[in-house]
Amino acid sequence: MKTGMCSQYYERWGKMRYRKLKEHGYDYVDYDLSDTDKPVYSCDGKELEATLRDEKKLMDEAGIEVSQVHGPWRWPPRDHTPEERQERMEKMKKSIRMTALLGCKNWVVHPVMPYGTADRGTEHVRETWDINIAFMGELLKTAKECDVTICLENMPMPEFSIGSPSEILKFVRTINDERFKVCLDTGHVAVYEGLTPDGAMRELGDTVRVLHVHDNNGRSDLHYMPYFGVIDWKAFAKALKECGFGGVFSIETAPPQKLPDSLYEEMCLTLSKIAKEIIAG
């Protein structure tokens, strides 16, 4: 199994960012398109193609491939009105097209949250489900046109009605399309009482297409480095092997950004070693 890292954590190295990823032992990058205020979202046509071509050239020269792209996400969610969801839809479709231009096949997205992050037990649960079914169905049309698989991510919000691994699995089975799979986020699982990433992996099985790997204290989505929190990493590695996961062990955490460059790089190297130690079993 190969390892990957999120692009945003290496931006401090500018045009050398992908070379640094490679130096640190990674073969893949999780390319971040979550922030729709980034300049790339203002580009269109030939300008957009040129921008992404230049980005892809930097990756290719460093020997780095894009394993997955993270689609638009904003906090707090603003998905309540049809107008807000339409704005998200347009940005997400553009993000899928950018994923294809980067030569990537996997695009990660969160459920939309029309009634916020705590609709469980309210009269809005059915509508949240129905809105997401229609929303993801529309995105799926663009994904198929672009030869991209949508990977729906489990959420770290126990009071959100499409957040747990079992709810994500139910949703994916309802969509029932080979282009609609799961992004299993280990830290997001860990905030649910009684759930573990290894248990989630076994439950989700071959619906898992990509990973987000990080740790926490079992209560909040803190994005700790592995072994700095509560997750049993030996158990998770065993579950990956038992389930035949053949994708990328993609890290979604990094050292504190305020560290000076020399110390930041030392910890980045340590993080890469941690990832390799986990997958070695």
Side-chain angles (χ1 to χ4, degrees), residues 188-204:
H188 291 181
V189 176
V191 303
Y192 286 78
E193 186 175 357
L195 298 187
T196 61
D198 58 291
M201 183 66 216
R202 291 189 176 92
E203 180 181 12
L204 293 166

Side-chain angles (χ1 to χ4, degrees), residues 19 29 43 81 125 136 147 197 203 223 252 257-258 270:
R19 293 187 183 276
V29 66
C43 299
T81 68
V125 169
M136 297 300 166
D147 193 23
E203 180 181 12
H223 286 254
E252 198 187 32
Q257 295 296 307
K258 62 185 177 182
T270 298

Side-chain angles (χ1 to χ4, degrees), residues 140-179:
L140 194 52
K141 296 175 186 177
T142 300
K144 288 182 175 181
E145 291 170 2
C146 295
D147 193 23
V148 167
T149 296
I150 295 175
C151 305
L152 188 65
E153 184 175 350
N154 58 297
M155 292 286 95
M157 301 129 182
E159 296 306 313
F160 177 59
S161 63
I162 315 178
S164 71
S166 60
E167 288 157 345
I168 292 291
L169 180 59
K170 179 183 176 183
F171 192 93
V172 169
R173 285 177 171 168
T174 300
I175 293 289
N176 190 28
D177 194 287
E178 64 179 8
R179 291 291 183 188

Side-chain angles (χ1 to χ4, degrees), residues 5-21:
M5 167 58 76
C6 296
S7 61
Q8 65 268 32
Y9 298 131
Y10 275 63
E11 288 179 356
R12 68 167 61 197
W13 282 295
K15 290 187 176 182
M16 293 296 295
R17 55 192 175 274
Y18 300 116
R19 293 187 183 276
K20 281 293 181 183
L21 275 170

Side-chain angles (χ1 to χ4, degrees), residues 225-228 269-279:
M225 291 165 61
Y227 293 113
F228 285 68
L269 285 163
T270 298
L271 179 54
S272 177
K273 292 176 183 178
I274 288 172
K276 293 182 185 304
E277 178 70 20
I278 293 171
I279 62 177

